[in-house]
Amino acid sequence: MASDPKVHLFDEVAKHDKTKDCWLIISGKVYDVTPFMDDHPGGDEVLLSATGKDATNDFEDVGHSDSAREMMEQYCIGEIDTATVPLRRTYIPPQQTPYNPDKTPEFVIKILQFLVPLLILGLAFAVRYYTKEK
């Protein structure tokens, strides 16, 4: 890395969120981990899930080894402008249709499991009653 590191804006870093173009923000530095995607022990999904945000907590929670921390330096491409990093990303849950338990196939099966034995029992009593000798 050069002695005068480039300062990246958060919006610029957030655009790099693909397998073939992946940048991460860890401890105020920006890392282009694209060449490391196939080699990461946790798989590329782990790295992709850390894009578009400050991944420092994700990185520290895993407990990376000293050799992993040394390896990071070769991927460092600059620093992040901390003023452009949002404090917290708000989670917006996906829109879902309301769940109606009465319309599920499981509900129909439960009703049948209750009604079929009652029908058989009723049929058995009817057969017994009408075939009984008087």
Side-chain angles (χ1 to χ4, degrees):
M1 191 170 87
S3 61
D4 188 23
K6 181 175 182 195
V7 178
H8 298 276
L9 300 176
F10 177 80
D11 291 336
E12 174 191 354
V13 175
K15 292 177 188 175
H16 301 272
D17 61 352
K18 312 272 186 299
T19 304
K20 301 288 184 196
D21 183 24
C22 184
W23 290 12
L24 299 178
I25 302 168
I26 302 172
S27 301
K29 294 185 178 179
V30 179
Y31 298 90
D32 181 357
V33 294
T34 307
F36 188 61
M37 295 295 280
D38 293 332
D39 300 328
H40 187 265
D44 61 350
E45 297 88 12
V46 175
L47 296 174
L48 288 172
S49 69
T51 60
K53 63 180 181 177
D54 184 351
T56 304
N57 289 338
D58 295 346
F59 181 80
E60 296 298 338
D61 287 346
V62 174
H64 286 89
S65 66
D66 291 336
S67 62
R69 292 175 190 279
E70 290 172 12
M71 186 187 301
M72 287 174 55
E73 289 307 313
Q74 67 182 337
Y75 300 111
C76 187
I77 57 171
E79 295 181 357
I80 189 73
D81 181 0
T82 54
T84 63
V85 178
L87 295 177
R88 178 177 253 190
R89 286 185 86 179
T90 55
Y91 175 72
I92 301 170
Q95 292 293 328
Q96 295 180 344
T97 57
Y99 177 70
N100 187 351
D102 295 342
K103 293 189 177 183
T104 61
E106 293 86 15
F107 180 74
V108 173
I109 290 172
K110 286 180 183 179
I111 292 293
L112 288 177
Q113 286 176 339
F114 178 74
L115 290 179
V116 168
L118 284 178
L119 246 115
I120 292 173
L121 187 62
L123 185 62
F125 277 118
V127 168
R128 172 90 171 135
Y129 179 78
Y130 288 112
T131 59
K132 185 176 166 185
E133 292 181 22
K134 295 186 180 182

